[in-house]
Amino acid sequence: MSNPFSKKEIISLPQRNRRKVNKSYISEDENEEEENKHIFNGDNNTSDHMDDHINDYVDDHINDYVDDHINDYVDEHINDYVDDHISKDIYNKFSNKTYEYKYLDHTADIILHSSGKNLRECFESICICMFDYMCNLNSVELKKRRKITVSGANIEDLLFNFLTEFHFLYGSEYFICKHIEIVYFNMNLFLIEAYGYGDIFNISIHESGTEIKAVTKHELKIISNKDACEIFVLVDI
């Protein structure tokens, strides 16, 4: 049977038109590849952009980091630094300083009694009176310093908190104060800031006395006038 179509009559089908690729339709993967090419090829604009972000990050966070850590560093190291650098000026400062105090008998415990020209002197003396009862202060050197800040609802409460805070230094680290310096005394706010100078108790160096277990508010009394002041504090031994 003969072919109904001659070779000349065979007409080929037209090729399908190839879809033109529009750059706006590049896939995400292809887009990332393009961006990576710029980065790995050392695109100056990209590098500058990254540098700007790094600098902004450093500027935003470095100050916060320093602020958060500098106070911790100071708290940890200031006492050690002061302990190593207490100068002769401190010894000279307290060389002529005296405290007026004595001990009064009580049925089971002991009463601390101090006197002075004003409340500041009385507060300092009653604190030294407490430490001298627990340790002979003649053998204590001024090797270390501690700072306290206390407040109270009234003058009696302030005195109790003042003595309790210094007594806590002995209970927590056996710190013995030979000298007390109240640097801020506000009777309106009932607020005190003070430094204690002394050393850590060492039985091979220091002569121990009788340990005071606690400061009490029982029979606590403050007598103050323009010319003189007296303080009485009962302590538990």
Side-chain angles (χ1 to χ4, degrees):
M1 183 175 178
S2 62
N3 188 350
F5 300 101
S6 65
K7 291 181 179 180
K8 293 182 180 180
E9 293 175 333
I10 295 176
I11 302 174
S12 63
L13 294 175
Q15 286 186 331
R16 295 180 182 273
N17 291 329
R18 296 184 181 275
R19 182 171 63 90
K20 294 182 179 180
V21 178
N22 191 321
K23 286 290 184 179
S24 62
Y25 291 99
I26 294 178
S27 67
E28 292 182 359
D29 292 338
E30 292 173 326
N31 191 35
E32 289 180 2
E33 290 179 1
E34 290 294 326
E35 291 180 354
N36 290 336
K37 286 180 181 179
H38 288 297
I39 294 174
F40 292 118
N41 288 334
D43 191 315
N44 291 332
N45 291 331
T46 303
S47 297
D48 293 341
H49 183 70
M50 292 178 66
D51 290 341
D52 291 340
H53 277 289
I54 291 174
N55 290 332
D56 290 342
Y57 180 86
V58 171
D59 291 339
D60 290 340
H61 294 275
I62 190 65
N63 286 332
D64 292 339
Y65 178 86
V66 171
D67 291 342
D68 291 339
H69 289 76
I70 193 167
N71 289 330
D72 293 339
Y73 180 86
V74 170
D75 291 339
E76 291 176 3
H77 296 278
I78 188 63
N79 279 334
D80 292 337
Y81 178 85
V82 171
D83 291 347
D84 294 336
H85 293 80
I86 290 181
S87 64
K88 293 181 179 179
D89 292 339
I90 298 298
Y91 286 91
N92 295 333
K93 184 176 185 178
F94 296 114
S95 60
N96 296 321
K97 187 169 184 176
T98 59
Y99 305 90
E100 297 182 25
Y101 59 86
K102 59 183 177 181
Y103 305 100
L104 305 178
D105 291 331
H106 189 268
T107 305
D109 298 311
I110 196 76
I111 295 176
L112 311 180
H113 172 248
S114 71
S115 57
K117 297 177 182 178
N118 51 55
L119 283 173
R120 184 191 296 260
E121 287 187 2
C122 269
F123 270 59
E124 291 176 343
S125 292
I126 200 71
C127 193
I128 295 301
C129 181
M130 176 180 68
F131 280 108
D132 199 20
Y133 193 77
M134 295 188 291
C135 174
N136 185 351
L137 296 183
N138 291 327
S139 60
V140 177
E141 296 184 5
L142 305 180
K143 292 184 176 181
K144 299 181 181 297
R145 183 182 79 169
R146 296 293 182 266
K147 179 183 179 181
I148 68 158
T149 301
V150 293
S151 60
N154 50 52
I155 186 62
E156 289 80 13
D157 191 46
L158 180 62
L159 173 61
F160 175 79
N161 293 340
F162 175 73
L163 290 175
T164 299
E165 192 70 18
F166 269 113
H167 185 265
F168 176 76
L169 291 177
Y170 173 79
S172 61
E173 56 177 313
Y174 294 104
F175 183 71
I176 297 291
C177 289
K178 183 173 184 174
H179 286 291
I180 301 290
E181 181 184 22
I182 296 177
V183 294
Y184 184 77
F185 194 92
N186 192 315
M187 286 298 299
N188 295 321
L189 299 176
F190 299 115
L191 179 66
I192 285 178
E193 289 183 3
Y195 288 100
Y197 296 87
D199 198 3
I200 303 300
F201 179 80
N202 186 334
I203 194 169
S204 63
I205 300 174
H206 305 124
E207 181 184 346
S208 63
T210 301
E211 182 179 2
I212 292 176
K213 297 178 182 178
V215 179
T216 74
K217 288 186 175 181
H218 182 60
E219 297 188 24
L220 186 151
K221 185 186 299 183
I222 299 175
I223 303 173
S224 179
N225 53 52
K226 293 181 180 180
D227 300 324
C229 174
E230 287 185 276
I231 289 177
F232 300 85
V233 178
L234 177 67
V235 293
D236 182 16
I237 58 175

